[in-house]
Amino acid sequence: MKRPLALRLSALSAATALAAAAGIALTSPEATAATGGVTGYATQNGGTTGGAGGQRVRATTGTEIHAALCGRASSSTPIIIEVEGTINHGNTGKVSGGSCNTAAGVIELKQISNVTLVGVGAGAVFDQLGIHIRQSSNIIIQNVTVRNVKKSGSPTSNGGDAIGMESDVRNVWVDHATLEASGGESEGYDGLFDMKDNTQYVTLSYSVLRNSGRGGLIGSSESDLSNGYVTFHHNRYENIDSRAPLLRGGTAHAYNNHYVSLNESGINSRAGAKVKVDNNYFEDSKDVLGTFYTDQRGSWQVAGNVFDNVTWSSPGSENYPAGPNPQSTTTVNIPYAYTPDAAGCVPDVVRRTAGAGTGLQVSDGNCTPQTPAPDPSTPTTPPPTTPGPTEPGGANLSLGAGADGSSKADGTSYGNVRDGNLSTYWSPSGSTGSVSVKWGSATSVSRVVVREASGATGVVRAWRLLNADTGAVLATGTTAGTATFPQTSLKKITFEITSASGTPRVAEFETYAS
């Protein structure tokens, strides 16, 4: 009998007028940082460039995203929408216009083309709000987190899919995204990355998909066979029950992915689907490749994969596992060039490159993460401010102050960050979280120093510093250390970790007046 995913989660972790009206800042169209460039099947069918060459617009709400789409000269005018902050139901309304077709409660990319949606600054989080791509083409989504999108319960969005594509969609590249849920269908969630009703030429790269009953699908039913040409590479699938992905017909390519804790099944090729599966690392998982839950079989080509503590079920009338010794049952001709990493280094290179907030690093094909040279055709986020090494002067205002935060790991204390002792520390219950220093009366602060504990230096990958009285962002960065900002009078200041390579350990959160 399957345990509910929630239990396993516990066990595992523990337009110009319109734009102006919405308060959107407009900037020049040049690119500002590097990416590795579009890869995989999204390079085919004329390629995927998103909003390259278009105006860049900054948005901090879902309504502003919709206003930017509606403010274009036409539904195909290129645009780059830079997103920062938390996008949710409360700030995502319908906007009308001749160049858009939007809806409340979902980021609606419908009947449009030539759009880039990219997270910038301190990050972009779509909280309980899905991204819906329908009858659209040439779309790039990059450096965003989409979490806890539900199809039942409250609130609901996008049919429960984090990113969903349907109805004549062409050329989509999703890159460096984090897609996550907090359970399975019984908890109200559906798929993390779904493609159906004639969706083709898609790449999902350098992304994290985790804590969901369903990783994603290609084709909504055994009769929905018009989808395909999808590449999945350098992604981490973690704590997924099934559909990593499910393929109903069509052609796919999965290489250099790290699959961890696929609880029931993984790559499910059925209804005539073909998938090339090469140089992946499968770990602590069950039935990672095959045809499952149907007698309409698919096929696969395998090479160079690592199967580490993978178990296989016995074949049956609706159960055709590829293992325990997976062999190719078809040949898939890949039309694009690619250089895969060796499977043995995939866990490390994916850990260092995949997901939002990881600096858009990519692998060089030799197991080494790198920040690529700037590519003007693919604009992305400017790098966040990184604190320098300057040490502050004056008294550490944190000593003797109060402290609190988000959920903490067992055996750690909020107070350890303001006790002046580098041998004690606070850790969040996962890889992200926040800790605060607070005072009984307003205190002027202009500089902070965050010190990681011994053995955890460099674990913090992205953070922001908040005035907890107002929610204003005081500073952002990519490594712990010293940060300065205009002197601010406040009662509480929060250090929020938005990305980390493991479990952070903050030994001291020092605050100074100057």
Side-chain angles (χ1 to χ4, degrees), residues 38-48 137-139 165 169-174 195 198-204 226-231 251 335-336:
V38 63
T39 53
Y41 274 114
T43 65
Q44 305 298 291
N45 191 44
T48 305
S137 63
N138 195 24
I139 307 294
M165 291 160 270
V169 173
R170 292 291 185 275
N171 292 85
V172 177
W173 179 33
V174 177
M195 292 156 279
N198 197 22
T199 294
Q200 298 180 2
Y201 302 104
V202 176
T203 296
L204 176 67
S226 58
N227 309 279
Y229 307 114
V230 183
T231 302
T251 300
Y336 48 84

Side-chain angles (χ1 to χ4, degrees), residues 340-358:
D341 295 300
C345 74
V346 162
D348 179 66
V349 76
V350 168
R351 175 185 61 83
R352 297 163 66 184
T353 58
T358 54

Side-chain angles (χ1 to χ4, degrees), residues 35-37 39 142-144 173-178 203-209 231-236 255-257 339 341 349-358 360-365 368-370 372:
T35 76
T39 53
Q142 189 173 54
N143 199 38
V144 302
W173 179 33
V174 177
D175 176 66
H176 285 89
T178 297
T203 296
L204 176 67
S205 59
Y206 296 99
S207 294
V208 174
L209 298 86
T231 302
F232 306 85
H233 75 89
H234 292 92
N235 304 299
R236 178 179 172 94
Y255 73 92
N256 283 160
N257 301 292
T339 305
D341 295 300
V349 76
V350 168
R351 175 185 61 83
R352 297 163 66 184
T353 58
T358 54
L360 299 176
Q361 289 197 100
V362 298
S363 175
D364 63 356
T368 304
Q370 63 174 359

